[in-house]
Amino acid sequence: MTRQVVEILIKKYLSTQQNQYIFSWQGGEPLLMGLDFYKDVIHLQQTLARPGSVIGNGIQTNGYLIDEMYADFFSTNNFLVGISCDGPEHLHNKFRKIPDGRNAFHLVMDGIKILQKHNVAFNTLTVVTSEHAGKGKLVYQFLKDIGSDYHQYIPCVEYDKNRKKLPWTIEGINWGKFLIEIFQQWLIDSQKISIRLFDSIILVLLGQPSGICQIERNCCQYFVVEHNGDVFPCDFFVRNDTLLGNITGNMWDDLLNSEKYRSFGTRKSLWHSDCDRCQYLKFCAGDCQKHRTGKGKSGRPKSVLCEGWQLFYKETLPEFKRIAQSYRQSYLRRMSIEF
């Protein structure tokens, strides 16, 4: 991304009316841009923001290039760092290969230690592949042991151009079982670890927005801005038919209100007819559009993970409801004491 593009992006975004402005720097591998790029980002944000603006920056990295200078910068500028970590060495290295033969797992662990040394806030993002089936307890405990208090688990669902499932894709039922294993360990730990999906389920039970697009009923959640300024509605749908425009030539509100963006968003609610009769629709909304590759009526395919989601919610929802009720009662008690 050139400086011209990033300056236009920051200027147009900060000119909108928001409670806070969130920039999530991703790639590819975003650290390849070099530290000077992000120093310039901070300068532009400070220069172009209106007084009183609240700005947050997050970055998602494989962790290989984290060094003392990057960590010091992240600490000084309050970056939230997401580290891709798929668990112990044999799981992480199964599908993550470095062309020059270096050990990807060792590089990630080194990067995490440097972040901890500089007190950088970080979370872990785990891509759950076919290799993770039956290993939820192992992965959870490993991430906890390396100091990760914030976990995010993403199912790997990938097909080739002939719609043939790729070998690293996790089966729906195994995804559900994996989440149950994570949930059981989370309960044993008295919910001390923050797991993004679990936090979102509790928020829904408390009548709050979930905070994750997979649960929401509309996919108008954010913009993806590519290196050349092209804008797309979702990082799973960066393709010609979903191109919304270009940040250098289109006004922010025009992109936000475009028919193509709104149409993409409303497609989320066009779920499979079986979903209308599902007691877990409130927590799924038919799942991510990317996962809707199964059989469907009238062009409304079902998520390939549906069986797993149903298994997970059947097993865990009663306990989630108990936890949400406990939070609600605790809040009411605090309010009664204060007033």
Side-chain angles (χ1 to χ4, degrees):
M1 183 176 284
T2 64
R3 192 185 192 283
Q4 179 189 16
V5 171
V6 76
E7 182 174 357
I8 292 172
L9 163 61
I10 292 172
K11 183 176 182 178
K12 288 188 175 181
Y13 183 35
L14 294 183
S15 68
T16 63
Q17 295 296 323
Q18 309 279 341
N19 293 326
Q20 59 180 340
Y21 301 88
I22 303 298
F23 294 84
S24 298
W25 304 98
Q26 301 189 32
E29 173 47 51
L31 297 193
L32 286 169
M33 287 301 296
L35 185 54
D36 287 344
F37 175 83
Y38 296 103
K39 289 180 177 179
D40 197 28
V41 162
I42 295 298
H43 172 72
L44 287 168
Q45 290 174 345
Q46 294 173 342
T47 303
L48 298 172
R50 293 191 300 270
S53 296
V54 178
I55 300 174
N57 286 284
I59 195 162
Q60 182 62 43
T61 172
N62 61 28
Y64 305 165
L65 299 178
I66 292 174
D67 58 18
E68 300 285 345
M69 290 188 294
Y70 258 127
D72 181 66
F73 171 82
F74 292 148
S75 178
T76 301
N77 294 284
N78 298 313
F79 267 62
L80 174 62
V81 180
I83 297 285
S84 297
C85 182
D86 297 341
E89 184 171 357
H90 68 284
L91 287 176
H92 186 85
N93 286 351
K94 176 65 179 180
F95 296 118
R96 295 185 185 270
K97 309 294 183 182
I98 299 180
D100 64 11
R102 286 179 297 163
N103 188 305
F105 175 80
H106 291 168
L107 292 176
V108 173
M109 294 301 103
D110 290 343
I112 288 175
K113 290 175 183 176
I114 295 174
L115 292 177
Q116 291 170 326
K117 175 183 173 182
H118 289 263
N119 296 313
V120 177
F122 76 95
N123 58 39
T124 49
L125 187 151
T126 300
V127 179
V128 183
T129 70
S130 54
E131 290 293 312
H132 287 77
K135 300 182 178 71
K137 178 179 179 180
L138 172 69
V139 173
Y140 175 94
Q141 190 61 49
F142 172 81
L143 295 176
K144 178 185 171 184
D145 289 345
I146 65 172
S148 174
D149 295 328
Y150 301 90
H151 301 185
Q152 184 177 359
Y153 298 96
I154 303 294
C156 183
V157 179
E158 299 291 342
Y159 292 79
D160 65 18
K161 62 182 180 180
N162 297 316
R163 306 307 304 158
K164 181 180 179 181
K165 182 176 64 179
L166 295 172
W168 40 82
T169 294
I170 190 165
E171 298 283 353
I173 194 68
N174 288 334
W175 167 243
K177 291 178 179 178
F178 179 88
L179 288 178
I180 291 171
E181 293 166 11
I182 298 291
F183 180 79
Q184 291 169 343
Q185 295 306 303
W186 182 67
L187 287 182
I188 291 173
D189 278 346
S190 301
Q191 306 103 55
K192 292 179 181 177
I193 300 296
S194 174
I195 297 177
R196 190 179 184 192
L197 172 64
F198 298 175
D199 294 343
S200 296
I201 293 169
I202 293 171
L203 285 172
V204 171
L205 289 169
L206 292 173
Q208 302 296 317
S210 70
I212 59 174
C213 52
Q214 175 252 316
I215 291 179
E216 296 300 321
R217 298 190 173 207
N218 190 291
C219 283
C220 292
Q221 302 291 331
Y222 58 87
F223 284 151
V224 173
V225 182
E226 286 289 283
H227 68 95
N228 63 352
D230 284 347
V231 181
F232 299 86
C234 172
D235 51 339
F236 288 140
F237 289 87
V238 176
R239 57 193 202 194
N240 292 337
D241 63 315
T242 56
L243 175 64
L244 304 177
N246 191 284
I247 197 67
T248 63
N250 296 101
M251 299 303 295
W252 191 275
D253 285 345
D254 291 339
L255 293 166
L256 197 63
N257 296 315
S258 69
E259 177 60 31
K260 185 177 285 190
Y261 185 52
R262 295 297 167 185
S263 176
F264 177 83
T266 57
R267 275 165 41 189
K268 182 69 188 297
S269 62
L270 301 179
W271 46 64
H272 190 277
S273 58
D274 287 351
C275 299
D276 292 318
R277 298 181 292 274
C278 180
Q279 60 183 312
Y280 309 123
L281 179 63
K282 181 178 181 179
F283 307 97
C284 177
D287 201 10
C288 175
Q289 292 190 49
K290 176 179 182 287
H291 301 153
R292 296 180 186 179
T293 58
K295 296 179 179 179
K297 301 174 182 178
S298 304
R300 298 188 178 190
K302 186 182 293 188
S303 167
V304 294
L305 300 176
C306 179
E307 186 179 10
W309 283 120
Q310 290 195 27
L311 176 67
F312 168 67
Y313 282 117
K314 180 180 179 181
E315 180 73 22
T316 63
L317 199 53
E319 190 64 24
F320 273 122
K321 289 179 178 178
R322 184 196 66 77
I323 294 169
Q325 181 62 18
S326 175
Y327 287 174
R328 184 180 291 109
Q329 291 173 348
S330 176
Y331 172 77
L332 292 174
R333 283 196 297 270
R334 289 199 304 271
M335 294 295 290
S336 65
I337 292 172
E338 292 176 7
F339 293 97

